[in-house]
Amino acid sequence: MSNQELRVLGRDVEECCPALLTAPLAEDQATELAKVFKALGDPIRLRLLSMIASRAGGEVCVCDLTPHFDLSQPTVSHHLKLLRQAGLIDCERRGTWVYYRLIPEMTDRLAGILTRPSGTPLPERAEARS
């Protein structure tokens, strides 16, 4: 397992990371989350994740992803590897092809962290008070 790989499956969102608007993140939590956001910070990886997540049947072969990019197959595989290391996708080899699928627990976790608790008012902006 890579040092950068995240293991969060089976953990409750509140157990490891509070929502950003309810409490400050601890340093280790911020470091862990930064790896995920860094993986999502590249347009190619964001498109790959979207293509995988939106695929009917929940999985897609790498052979169906590569033609959508003006990149070599090894470069696309590198981007997919970074998404896997961030815990956003998983894969399974079937013969010569690799099939990718979303890890919904991670996207649910990110959604929970970024979601403002319902009924919680937004903090006032400094310029609005002036």
Side-chain angles (χ1 to χ4, degrees), residues 20-81:
L20 291 176
L21 294 178
T22 60
L25 292 174
E27 186 176 342
D28 61 329
Q29 294 167 332
T31 301
E32 185 177 327
L33 281 172
K35 293 174 186 175
V36 178
F37 286 117
K38 184 176 180 180
L40 291 172
D42 182 273
I44 300 295
R45 291 191 288 272
L46 197 52
R47 283 187 60 211
L48 283 166
L49 183 70
S50 175
M51 293 170 76
I52 294 166
S54 64
R55 184 65 170 228
E59 64 182 16
V60 61
C61 179
V62 68
C63 64
D64 294 325
L65 294 171
T66 305
H68 293 278
F69 299 92
D70 190 23
L71 301 168
S72 68
Q73 182 276 324
T75 301
V76 171
S77 291
H78 172 73
H79 284 292
L80 290 165
K81 175 185 170 186

